[in-house]
Amino acid sequence: MMTTRQVMLSGMRPSGLLHIGNYLGALQNWVDLQQDYRCYFFVADWHALTTDYEDPGNIKGSIGEMVLDWLSAGLDPDQATIFRQSDVKEHAELYLLFSMFTPIAWLERCPTFKEVLRELEGRELHTHGFLGYPLLQAADILIYKADAVPVGEDQAPHVEITREVARRFNHLYRPVFPEPETRLHSFPLVPGIDGRKMSKSYDNYIRLSEDPAEISAKVRMMITDPGRIRRNDPGNPEVCTVHTFHQVFNPDELSQIEESCRSGEIGCVDCKNKLSEKLEAFIRPIYEKRQELMGWPAYLEEVLEHGARHARRAAGATLDEVREAMGL
Ligand code: TRP
Ligand code: SF4
């Protein structure tokens, strides 16, 4: 019997170069999923406009940088459908049709609505587009009849609204949409090199495509146990940023490092050198793949066009059903 693979879909707003936190938090999981599911991964450039409409100059460049990172890290256009949201206008039509029956209250009470309004205080976000953010996301998801959406916890409310929209549609017209589930994945959280959350805005990040030659300099800047003053002082790995990285990138040597840190046998310089080696080994193939892809600029557009063609076909089939169900 033929088994149809489940559909997985996820998107990222175009944020430019990704850091290793973005990789561990999402991209690594996408790469793992692409063999076993029918995957759609896309750049949510319309979503970027909901908050950046006054200053959209960065969006275009960020798309290219981000997709280069995706491909360098192993997303495979032969396995997954990789595309740009704005290339598939069908998303906009479904969003419009959904807007006819979606109560405004569902959008107003979405927790991310108030949170982002507060976070981005100073930007004029009392707009139709910003309020409709989760509904556009619902259209992104339902247009491919996704079974599951691999996203972080922060996106769970949007998937919840998506389910409500699917239910309401199915009830008002006829059953067309499955109710997608949120697929959270557990991943190790690495801090930035200063020990705070790794973030572009703190300038404390390590790029996924960092030049291997720059890595040891970044590792040298990492905050260690502040209680360790002299080389032979016993250390406490639990409070050390370098240790957190060893947990992720050097699991084999971890317990040995912890022991020799606690006993004061290993110095922080040596400990950092060990980490640099492992991080370099992790990043080098990604960096090299990226260099290779950069020498072939037309390829990126080809990938996105190929993905869009494929996505349009699937999206168009769903829209045919939707139009018909809605009496158009
Ligand atoms: N809102 C998501 C984010 O900020 C991006 C996104 C847009 C998305 N459409 C989606 C994620 C559909 C999953 C499914 O990360
Ligand atoms: Fe951190 Fe390693 Fe120094 Fe211990 S030895 S404090 S784990 S850098």
Side-chain angles (χ1 to χ4, degrees), residues 9-13 30 42-44 47 85 133 136-138 140-141 149-152 154-155 158-159:
L9 169 138
S10 196
M12 281 186 208
R13 278 177 300 190
W30 292 11
F42 70 99
V43 184
H47 277 106
Q85 184 185 36
Y133 187 110
L136 178 57
Q137 188 160 344
D140 296 337
I141 296 167
V149 188
V151 282
D154 62 312
Q155 295 297 312
H158 298 161
V159 184

Side-chain angles (χ1 to χ4, degrees), residues 69-236:
D69 278 352
W70 288 4
L71 300 174
S72 308
L75 270 203
D76 177 357
D78 290 330
Q79 298 196 70
T81 303
I82 300 168
F83 65 101
R84 176 167 47 205
Q85 184 185 36
S86 65
D87 284 341
V88 187
K89 315 297 181 207
E90 285 80 356
H91 291 223
E93 184 177 341
L94 189 59
Y95 169 58
L96 175 93
L97 293 173
F98 283 169
S99 77
M100 302 302 168
F101 61 79
T102 301
I104 292 170
W106 289 7
L107 302 170
E108 283 172 335
R109 70 166 188 236
C110 179
T112 56
F113 177 63
K114 290 182 205 97
E115 273 163 33
V116 178
L117 269 187
R118 223 178 304 121
E119 263 170 43
L120 299 182
E121 203 191 356
R123 278 192 228 180
E124 176 44 55
L125 291 180
H126 292 93
T127 58
H128 184 193
F130 182 66
L131 181 66
Y133 187 110
L135 194 60
L136 178 57
Q137 188 160 344
D140 296 337
I141 296 167
L142 294 176
I143 205 161
Y144 304 104
K145 301 188 177 178
D147 297 294
V149 188
V151 282
E153 195 100 57
D154 62 312
Q155 295 297 312
H158 298 161
V159 184
E160 186 51 49
I161 289 182
T162 302
R163 274 197 293 273
E164 285 178 301
V165 170
R167 270 200 295 277
R168 191 158 165 90
F169 183 100
N170 293 345
H171 170 76
L172 282 171
Y173 310 108
R174 65 177 178 82
V176 167
F177 297 112
E179 289 178 34
E181 56 164 286
T182 307
R183 183 72 59 98
L184 298 173
H185 83 116
S186 55
F187 60 93
L189 209 56
V190 288
I193 57 175
D194 59 358
R196 293 189 292 174
K197 181 180 185 294
M198 185 178 287
S199 159
K200 281 253 177 98
S201 39
Y202 295 155
D203 198 19
N204 64 356
Y205 58 93
I206 297 178
R207 288 169 46 175
L208 180 58
S209 57
E210 195 82 40
D211 183 340
E214 310 285 328
I215 286 178
S216 62
K218 291 227 163 166
V219 171
R220 248 179 276 129
M221 290 193 298
M222 281 185 187
I223 305 289
T224 59
D225 172 5
R228 247 193 130 182
I229 316 235
R230 279 171 306 261
R231 162 77 176 72
N232 298 326
D233 288 347
N236 176 12

